[in-house]
């Protein structure tokens, strides 16, 4: 069965463009030539500086009626607030393809707080495959969950010259005892975490409010991302917010229906 997706929903395009425009000034040209880093990895090249990103951020916040940042809070972390049921997953998946199209970036990791959310993201990738292939000229891309039983896929993630999308639970790498943090024969005695770091991935955090402890943040930073995109309807902390679609916005746009709560009447 083929699923149909509307590629022209205005508020989704606004959210996507807010992310893409954040990096105006990044050169795609440097991504056309293959550079191999440590472990033979193909990695995301990044040549835009903090001042340019901050100026872009201020312009985006002004256009989206958000408070303007005077400096980057928490470094290269950026928050997208979208109400549940408005297509948050579609927005960040499509943003992957737009970031590749405009800037040439290829290594993406979606970090999720639970197995249930991981399976939901995988299902979204499956049902949107035809849609994204059609929308982006049959671009080559791979997606898969991280599994300690198939750790060899870390090599595929690092060395392939396609768009590579890995979905991983935070619990898979936030402890020293995790297989990803151990030297493995399958990886020629290297640690999977070190191979991932060498790709300088772009991280997408789904429901980041569940990843806010210092230990969790340290584990995320160890993936060595060039930047982090954070998507949720209920952020605990905002890091350089670039887009906001509140429940009131969603209701006014007719995206979600109003829920009437009936009073409880006590009957004696």
């Amino acid at each position: 069965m083929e699923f149909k997706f509307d590629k022209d929903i205005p508020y989704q395009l606004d959210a996507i463009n807010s992310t893409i425009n954040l990096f105006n000034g990044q050169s795609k040209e440097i991504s056309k030539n293959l550079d191999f880093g440590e472990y033979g990895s193909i990695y995301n090249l990044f040549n835009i500086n903090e001042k340019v990103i901050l100026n872009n951020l201020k312009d985006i916040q002004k256009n989206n009626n958000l408070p303007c940042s005077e400096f980057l809070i928490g470094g290269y972390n950026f928050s997208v607030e979208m109400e549940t049921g408005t297509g948050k997953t579609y927005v960040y998946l499509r943003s992957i393809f737009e970031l590749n199209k405009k800037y040439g970036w290829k290594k993406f990791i979606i970090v999720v707080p639970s197995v249930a959310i991981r399976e939901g993201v995988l299902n979204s990738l499956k049902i949107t495959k035809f849609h994204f292939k059609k929308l982006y000229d049959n671009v080559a891309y791979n997606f898969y969950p991280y599994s300690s039983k198939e750790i060899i896929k870390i090599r595929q993630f690092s060395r392939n010259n396609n768009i590579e999308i890995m979905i991983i639970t935070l619990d898979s790498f936030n402890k020293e005892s995790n297989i990803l943090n151990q030297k493995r024969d399958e990886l020629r005695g290297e640690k999977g975490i070190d191979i991932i770091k060498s790709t300088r991935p772009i991280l997408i955090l789904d429901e980041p409010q569940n990843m806010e402890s210092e230990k969790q943040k340290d584990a995320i930073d160890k993936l060595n991302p060039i930047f982090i995109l954070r998507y949720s309807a209920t952020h605990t902390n905002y890091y350089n917010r670039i887009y906001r679609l509140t429940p009131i916005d969603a209701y006014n746009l007719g995206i979600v229906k109003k829920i009437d709560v009936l009073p409880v009447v006590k009957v004696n």
Side-chain angles (χ1 to χ4, degrees), residues 4-187:
K4 299 290 185 182
F5 295 90
D6 188 344
K7 64 180 178 63
D8 296 316
I9 297 176
Y11 71 87
Q12 292 182 346
L13 294 178
D14 288 344
I16 293 165
N17 289 329
S18 295
T19 297
I20 307 311
N21 293 337
L22 188 59
F23 304 101
N24 283 337
Q26 164 74 21
S27 172
K28 185 177 180 179
E29 295 303 312
I30 65 169
S31 296
K32 288 184 177 180
N33 298 318
L34 291 184
D35 281 343
F36 295 92
E38 195 174 3
Y39 310 109
S41 299
I42 296 171
Y43 58 93
N44 289 327
L45 293 161
F46 192 72
N47 70 341
I48 185 171
N49 64 47
E50 183 174 326
K51 183 178 179 180
V52 174
I53 291 177
L54 180 58
N55 287 335
N56 290 341
L57 173 64
K58 289 179 179 179
D59 288 342
I60 291 164
Q61 290 172 329
K62 183 178 179 180
N63 289 337
N64 290 338
N65 297 314
L66 294 169
C68 286
S69 301
E70 295 304 316
F71 56 89
L72 294 179
I73 300 170
Y76 291 169
N77 279 267
F78 305 97
S79 299
V80 176
E81 179 184 1
M82 293 186 70
E83 175 62 11
T84 301
T86 60
K88 174 194 68 178
T89 304
Y90 175 86
V91 164
Y92 71 63
L93 292 180
R94 185 165 169 184
S95 294
I96 288 174
F97 294 94
E98 289 290 338
L99 288 167
N100 170 261
K101 180 180 178 180
K102 185 165 184 180
Y103 305 116
W105 291 321
K106 297 174 180 175
K107 310 295 181 175
F108 298 87
I109 298 178
I110 302 170
V111 182
V112 297
S114 69
V115 172
I117 294 178
R118 182 192 70 189
E119 294 306 305
V121 175
L122 279 169
N123 186 59
S124 293
L125 280 161
K126 290 174 183 175
I127 65 175
T128 54
K129 189 169 184 178
F130 179 81
H131 171 71
F132 287 137
K133 285 280 190 179
K134 183 177 180 181
L135 198 57
Y136 293 98
D137 297 324
N138 208 35
V139 64
Y141 72 99
N142 302 301
F143 62 87
Y144 36 82
Y146 164 76
S147 170
S148 60
K149 295 178 180 178
E150 296 182 292
I151 198 167
I152 194 64
K153 283 190 175 181
I154 297 294
R155 288 288 187 197
Q156 173 183 335
F157 179 81
S158 69
R159 293 183 176 180
N160 278 6
N161 192 33
N162 301 322
I163 300 173
E164 297 291 317
I165 305 169
M166 181 188 297
I167 307 95
I168 188 170
T169 61
L170 184 61
D171 285 342
S172 297
F173 63 92
N174 64 352
K175 299 180 288 293
E176 287 301 317
S177 58
N178 292 134
I179 287 176
L180 197 59
N181 292 315
Q182 299 173 4
K183 293 182 178 180
R184 305 295 297 179
D185 290 341
E186 304 97 308
L187 301 175

Side-chain angles (χ1 to χ4, degrees), residues 204-229:
I204 294 170
L205 307 189
D206 193 328
E207 305 296 341
Q209 68 272 16
N210 298 309
M211 311 177 200
E212 290 284 9
S213 74
E214 288 304 313
K215 181 180 178 182
Q216 291 169 330
K217 288 190 284 187
D218 286 346
I220 289 167
D221 287 342
K222 286 179 181 178
L223 294 176
N224 193 32
I226 56 174
F227 59 83
I228 300 173
L229 303 171

